[in-house]
Amino acid sequence: MDTEIKLKGDKVIEQIPSIKDKALRINLNENIYGTFAEIGAGQETVRHFFRAGGSSGTIAKATSAYDKEFSDSIYGIEADGRYVTESRLKKMLLHEGELIEKRLSRKKHPNKMFFCYANTVATIDFAKQFKGHGWVGIHFQIEPDEGYNEIILHIRFKETDVRLQQETLGILGVNLIYGAYYKYNDPKKFLRYLYDHLDKDQLEIDTINFSGPRFKDVDNRLMSLQLVKNGMTDAVIFDPEGKNILPAAILYKKNILTLRGSFRPVTKVNMDMYKESLKMFLDENKVDAENTLVIFEITLSNLRSDGEIDEKDFMDRAELLCSLGQTVMISNFQEYYKVVEYFAKYTKARMGLAMGVNNLVDIFDEKYYRHLSGGILEAFGKLFYRDMKVYLYPMIDENGIIINSETLKVHPRMKELYKFFKYNGKVVDITNFNPKNLEVFSREVLKMINENRSGWETMLPTGVAQIIKEQELFGYKPNILMEKSN
């Protein structure tokens, strides 16, 4: 009898089932049964299930409403006339989900766990200028008498060949369906399984949202963080309600003002900088309030402690920014020029960066640009192109002197370069500020919270201290003895 040989030093390797094995396992489960609705890139996902064998036990229907009039008659007309949208995908999932419930009797199929898989996709165009993107989702049950769960994601293709994009989409679809049934209990791992037999160079996932009874404890903001942390995308954006938003949808043709910070916690300085820089930004030529978006950006390098990303700490910051009604972006961009470059993919409108003096001095440090062939000049070409401006919030030095764009000191080699940007109006001072705020530092506030000292509350925007206390954020622990004495 053959026995498997194991050698000293062998490591346990997680066996990843092949795409055929994943489809076959689904097919052989007599209770998993549903519909495939695919538009725009062939019927690439259902093809794997047909080929694996035993598909009659899984596939109730496979459909592709390619013609726009057919599609509209089945799923309804979109207000914006577009077809590759989250709205269209949701209508597809809802319509096909209702149909399967309507046409298949629960009495006849008491153990069936119904699902509907759908995608609406645009592949690369003939000119190869637009690589293509799509919405992919699954609406599914884990128990026959339980409500439906939903996983919806947005993808961007990186390959430059239609056939390759179709194959990539098919593999992703199988991974999504298999993961929904066999990996739903660990959403963080589920995200990584979506790339089984795929490479990050083939596909970007820039938005994902989980909902339904099995995901009631899942925070989609934390899932956003995982996408960036895992290298699945460069940046994610979520709204004040904590819902992941498609970057292209929210950034498209917008005027964008960005504030980068650790926001640990968000202080009066941050909000003063935000309010005053926004006033100045809206006074700029061609900037109107209705078409302007303010983004509070946190880079992953601001989330690392001892090399690891502290997820609880991240959620604390997100909680406070959302409570103040802000839109938050998490990125893996260490340098500012990469943030501007990223926004430039979606908009040609005005851009602004609000920052403190220390941040601007750092921008003029050559060591951050050694990896660029054009060094600091290449970075600045990307940072200050077109109408980009820096709105500079002053700081107070150890001698009590206020430092602004006129008095800050950069490295002697950078002096003339700085003067060039300053002279050309690319760096402007925020002059209307509260001098008391200059003595507020996030790190000092955090230290006071951790050491349970009083007085930090007045350094934060209205209502923020209350949230920190009620939810015990940033390691806050109520002082029981003081509370009893009160």
Side-chain angles (χ1 to χ4, degrees):
M1 187 177 75
D2 287 340
T3 55
E4 188 184 356
I5 294 173
K6 291 185 179 176
L7 301 176
K8 284 181 181 177
D10 280 347
K11 299 286 188 289
V12 177
I13 299 172
E14 185 179 3
Q15 294 299 317
I16 299 172
S18 69
I19 290 301
K20 183 179 178 182
D21 287 343
K22 287 186 175 188
L24 185 60
R25 186 175 180 187
I26 295 278
N27 282 351
L28 295 180
N29 186 314
E30 60 189 21
N31 295 325
I32 299 175
Y33 200 60
T35 296
F36 292 76
E38 304 182 67
I39 299 177
Q43 292 187 288
E44 292 300 310
T45 302
V46 78
R47 179 169 61 88
H48 287 288
F49 290 88
F50 277 126
R51 288 185 173 181
S55 59
S56 61
T58 297
I59 303 167
K61 181 181 76 171
T63 185
S64 286
Y66 265 62
D67 183 84
K68 290 179 179 178
E69 288 181 35
F70 262 87
S71 186
D72 287 344
S73 69
I74 297 170
Y75 305 118
I77 297 170
E78 296 297 321
D80 58 9
R82 294 185 299 150
Y83 291 84
V84 185
T85 61
E86 184 179 16
S87 168
R88 172 60 71 175
L89 180 79
K90 285 186 170 181
K91 284 178 181 174
M92 291 168 72
L93 292 172
L94 184 65
H95 176 83
E96 300 298 346
E98 286 175 349
L99 266 189
I100 201 166
E101 286 280 2
K102 185 177 174 183
R103 290 178 177 172
L104 296 178
S105 163
R106 281 288 179 186
K107 286 182 182 177
K108 193 176 175 183
H109 304 284
N111 299 319
K112 292 285 189 200
M113 298 176 288
F114 292 140
F115 75 89
C116 172
Y117 165 84
N119 64 48
T120 174
V121 174
T123 50
I124 193 165
D125 63 355
F126 286 114
K128 295 191 184 291
Q129 289 182 329
F130 175 71
K131 285 189 179 174
H133 73 113
W135 287 92
V136 184
I138 183 168
H139 180 75
F140 68 106
Q141 292 177 298
I142 293 299
E143 294 289 344
D145 55 352
E146 192 175 273
Y148 282 85
N149 307 287
E150 213 162 74
I151 306 169
I152 289 178
L153 52 133
H154 181 263
I155 60 169
R156 290 192 173 279
F157 293 113
K158 293 185 176 181
E159 294 162 312
T160 54
D161 178 84
V162 173
R163 186 177 53 82
L164 293 176
Q165 290 184 354
Q166 289 174 322
E167 288 174 5
T168 294
L169 179 64
I171 293 168
L172 175 75
V174 176
N175 286 340
L176 175 60
I177 296 167
Y178 184 83
Y181 278 105
Y182 295 108
K183 305 293 179 184
Y184 68 84
N185 61 328
D186 192 341
K188 281 189 205 171
K189 280 189 177 175
F190 166 88
L191 286 180
R192 293 202 298 275
Y193 291 130
L194 288 174
Y195 277 87
D196 283 358
H197 312 290
L198 290 173
D199 196 270
K200 308 276 170 59
D201 293 335
Q202 294 172 266
L203 190 74
E204 175 186 350
I205 299 174
D206 59 5
T207 306
I208 192 161
N209 281 296
F210 295 81
S211 58
R214 294 284 167 160
F215 302 124
K216 65 179 186 297
D217 296 324
V218 172
D219 192 310
N220 284 309
R221 289 171 296 190
L222 198 50
M223 292 302 107
S224 284
L225 176 62
Q226 299 303 317
L227 291 178
V228 182
K229 183 179 169 184
N230 295 342
M232 296 174 182
T233 190
D234 287 325
V236 289
I237 298 174
F238 51 84
D239 64 15
E241 283 73 49
K243 186 180 187 299
N244 295 344
I245 310 168
L246 179 65
I250 195 169
L251 300 173
Y252 186 62
K253 291 188 175 179
K254 288 282 201 304
N255 303 299
I256 301 168
L257 177 66
T258 310
L259 289 87
R260 168 178 282 191
S262 60
F263 307 115
R264 191 175 183 241
V266 58
T267 65
K268 282 184 174 176
V269 173
N270 303 130
M271 296 315 288
D272 197 28
M273 189 188 299
Y274 151 65
K275 285 170 185 167
E276 296 307 322
S277 62
L278 181 58
K279 282 180 196 169
M280 294 171 72
F281 188 58
L282 292 175
D283 281 341
E284 295 284 350
N285 195 16
K286 300 178 190 169
V287 176
D288 64 284
E290 285 182 11
N291 198 43
T292 295
L293 178 69
V294 179
I295 290 182
F296 280 67
E297 188 236 0
I298 307 174
T299 176
L300 280 195
S301 55
N302 271 337
L303 290 173
R304 295 183 197 279
S305 55
D306 304 321
E308 282 299 307
I309 291 170
D310 187 337
E311 292 176 357
K312 168 72 172 69
D313 193 50
F314 157 71
M315 288 308 299
D316 289 353
R317 306 181 213 201
E319 196 68 41
L320 293 184
L321 288 169
C322 288
S323 74
L324 293 168
Q326 299 305 330
T327 299
V328 180
M329 180 167 113
I330 311 300
S331 82
N332 63 11
F333 306 128
Q334 200 158 0
E335 300 89 353
Y336 274 101
Y337 77 85
K338 288 186 178 176
V339 180
V340 173
E341 216 174 15
Y342 177 77
F343 290 148
K345 291 195 299 185
Y346 303 107
T347 184
K348 289 183 170 64
R350 301 293 293 259
M351 281 188 227
L353 290 172
M355 64 179 75
V357 168
N358 278 339
N359 298 98
L360 187 62
V361 171
D362 277 347
I363 283 178
F364 280 86
D365 191 331
E366 285 180 287
K367 73 181 180 190
Y368 294 116
Y369 313 109
R370 284 175 189 148
H371 62 290
L372 293 175
S373 56
I376 194 168
L377 290 178
E378 181 182 338
F380 275 41
K382 292 173 177 178
L383 178 62
F384 286 108
Y385 89 122
R386 287 206 309 270
D387 295 328
M388 226 292 298
K389 271 189 184 177
V390 167
Y391 299 94
L392 193 67
Y393 198 81
M395 67 174 277
I396 192 164
D397 70 7
E398 60 272 15
N399 300 316
I401 297 169
I402 291 175
I403 311 290
N404 60 18
S405 70
E406 302 289 345
T407 54
L408 66 81
K409 288 182 172 59
V410 297
H411 191 282
R413 275 205 307 272
M414 295 296 110
K415 208 170 181 180
E416 296 305 315
L417 184 64
Y418 171 71
K419 280 163 74 174
F420 169 79
F421 288 110
K422 170 70 180 151
Y423 178 78
N424 283 285
K426 296 293 188 182
V427 179
V428 291
D429 284 309
I430 295 172
T431 53
N432 188 20
F433 60 90
N434 185 341
K436 287 184 181 176
N437 288 340
L438 300 184
E439 295 169 15
V440 174
F441 298 96
S442 278
R443 60 182 178 275
E444 184 58 31
V445 173
L446 187 66
K447 195 176 175 188
M448 291 172 78
I449 292 171
N450 290 334
E451 292 174 1
N452 220 353
R453 286 189 276 145
S454 60
W456 55 268
E457 295 90 343
T458 59
M459 302 178 187
L460 307 184
T462 308
V464 167
Q466 192 63 29
I467 295 170
I468 290 174
K469 289 179 177 181
E470 285 173 2
Q471 300 187 26
E472 297 186 13
L473 307 181
F474 300 106
Y476 172 80
K477 287 284 177 277
N479 190 325
I480 308 297
L481 292 174
M482 280 183 69
E483 285 185 3
K484 281 184 178 175
S485 66
N486 289 336

